[in-house]
Amino acid sequence: MPELPEVEAARRAIEEHCTGKKIAACSVADDLKVIEGVSRSDLEAALFGKTILATLRKGKNLWLRLDSPPFPTFQFGMAGAVYIKGVAVTKYKRSAVSDTDEWPSKHSKLDDGLEFSFTDKRHFARVRLLEDPESVPPISELGPDALLELMPVGDFVESLSKKKTAIKALLLDQSYISGIGNWIADEVLYQAKIHPLQIASSLSKECCESLHRCIREVIEYAVEVDADSNRFPKEWLFHFRWGKRPGKVNGMKIEFITAAGRTSAYVPELQNLTGNQSEKVSRKKSTNVTSKKNVDAEESPSEKEETYETSKKNETAEDNKGREKKTSETENDRISSKVMAKKHVAVAKRSLRKRSKSSQADL
């Protein structure tokens, strides 16, 4: 599933190659599952003749700021990807497709002949046409962006101390921090030496600080290399976690469990349950995933109850959010496109400075 680095790579590619250009032609696939809330013809008509002013992102959602609304938004789902003809956007491990297989699934042609396409071979992505993307779901419901808005370490430590849910489930909760998906969660927990099922509030201050640092470093590095997994450090868990195959990372055994409903890779030698949860270690080992056959039978009854309770709480919270949005304007609660664009620029400048220093060092 494309996560923050992959979506950011797509945003940067569109920003670099398409900003300021007019959409001279637009073709939308006849896919009612992916194209949500708007007809194919209306989407084509809304984009035709518009000029792309900016490309914005929050979490794993991307949208184009045109010279007038409405604006197209893209939720990448399991295998959504942006392709720009003749431009290498990203080499995301799990969504690599052949241009001949999908081009042009959904594409726009710009006034200088450049073409770009948003494709999804698994049909879990969503394309919407919205007047103000940041003011309505799903973007309005997202928590702080993990790259642009990661909370200060002190606030992060305090926040985790109040969370009674498993740490991986919390990291995957897009209303808490947006942009972290399965592989990033596994990676940062491995690097911080934290078990995926450890209750967040039970983590020590040192563990919380380590996790905060790992989130920042992993995401910034992945973004810096445009989500090209071939350039990720060789010691990262990322390279060994796919397919639930037995293996080792840095000489240590990798095992698989289900956490937050997702297959999760972890290293028992480094990532141990602590405190009251340490008594459950032997039971957790008996539920390790060794084949696809038992991947859905790994959670203990107590974990299923915790997942159910967490789900109900989240539903209640979302219902309350909905009622609040209907009764009052929440203009101060959302980040304006101008502010988000400035944050993207700031990150790009930091990246440019890093590359400049690296080039000087090489000389």
Side-chain angles (χ1 to χ4, degrees), residues 152-349:
V153 62
D155 295 345
F156 184 69
V157 173
E158 181 179 1
S159 174
L160 291 185
S161 70
K162 301 174 183 177
K163 302 296 182 180
K164 305 297 183 182
T165 189
I167 186 60
K168 180 167 182 180
L170 186 61
L171 293 178
L172 294 180
D173 183 352
Q174 299 302 295
S175 67
Y176 182 67
I177 299 176
S178 60
I180 295 178
N182 204 34
W183 82 254
I184 291 180
D186 281 356
E187 188 66 48
V188 299
L189 290 173
Y190 162 67
Q191 294 192 21
K193 302 179 182 180
I194 298 172
H195 194 288
L197 297 177
Q198 189 72 43
I199 299 301
S201 60
S202 69
L203 292 170
S204 68
K205 180 174 182 291
E206 291 73 19
C207 282
C208 295
E209 292 172 343
S210 176
L211 179 58
H212 184 276
R213 184 185 69 256
C214 292
I215 291 172
R216 185 184 69 252
E217 291 178 351
V218 167
I219 290 178
E220 287 184 353
Y221 191 97
V223 167
E224 174 72 17
V225 298
D226 292 326
D228 182 353
S229 60
N230 293 325
R231 298 167 65 189
F232 290 174
K234 294 180 179 180
E235 65 271 17
W236 276 17
L237 177 66
F238 177 93
H239 301 290
F240 309 95
R241 66 177 300 279
W242 306 98
K244 299 188 292 294
R245 294 186 297 271
K248 292 184 177 182
V249 56
N250 299 318
M252 294 173 287
K253 184 180 178 182
I254 301 170
E255 293 189 2
F256 297 90
I257 57 172
T258 297
R262 305 292 301 278
T263 298
S264 305
Y266 82 113
V267 178
E269 189 173 335
L270 294 179
Q271 298 168 264
N272 295 310
L273 287 166
T274 63
N276 294 333
Q277 290 182 271
S278 62
E279 300 175 0
K280 299 179 181 180
V281 170
S282 59
R283 280 185 289 167
K284 299 306 176 187
K285 286 184 177 180
S286 69
T287 61
N288 287 339
V289 179
T290 56
S291 67
K292 292 183 179 180
K293 182 177 180 180
N294 57 9
V295 70
D296 293 325
E298 295 166 351
E299 289 182 285
S300 67
S302 62
E303 288 170 341
K304 291 179 179 178
E305 291 173 5
E306 289 175 8
T307 301
Y308 175 78
E309 291 299 325
T310 300
S311 174
K312 296 302 291 182
K313 288 178 181 178
N314 287 339
E315 290 176 5
T316 301
E318 293 302 327
D319 289 340
N320 290 336
K321 279 185 183 179
R323 286 193 291 271
E324 290 171 3
K325 289 177 187 287
K326 291 179 181 179
T327 58
S328 64
E329 182 65 28
T330 57
E331 188 67 24
N332 291 331
D333 292 335
R334 67 181 181 86
I335 302 172
S336 68
S337 295
K338 181 182 289 187
V339 173
M340 186 64 74
K342 287 182 179 179
K343 290 180 178 179
H344 285 305
V345 170
V347 170
K349 286 181 177 178

Side-chain angles (χ1 to χ4, degrees), residues 30-76:
D30 189 14
D31 190 332
L32 296 178
K33 184 176 180 182
V34 174
I35 310 302
E36 184 177 282
V38 61
S39 70
R40 172 183 177 180
S41 59
D42 286 347
L43 180 55
E44 290 175 343
L47 299 183
F48 176 75
K50 296 292 183 66
T51 298
I52 300 173
L53 301 182
T55 308
L56 304 172
R57 178 197 58 76
K58 186 166 186 180
K60 295 180 278 186
N61 291 260
L62 179 150
W63 67 100
L64 302 182
R65 175 66 61 180
L66 307 177
D67 51 359
S68 64
F71 308 123
T73 72
F74 306 92
Q75 191 171 1
F76 281 55

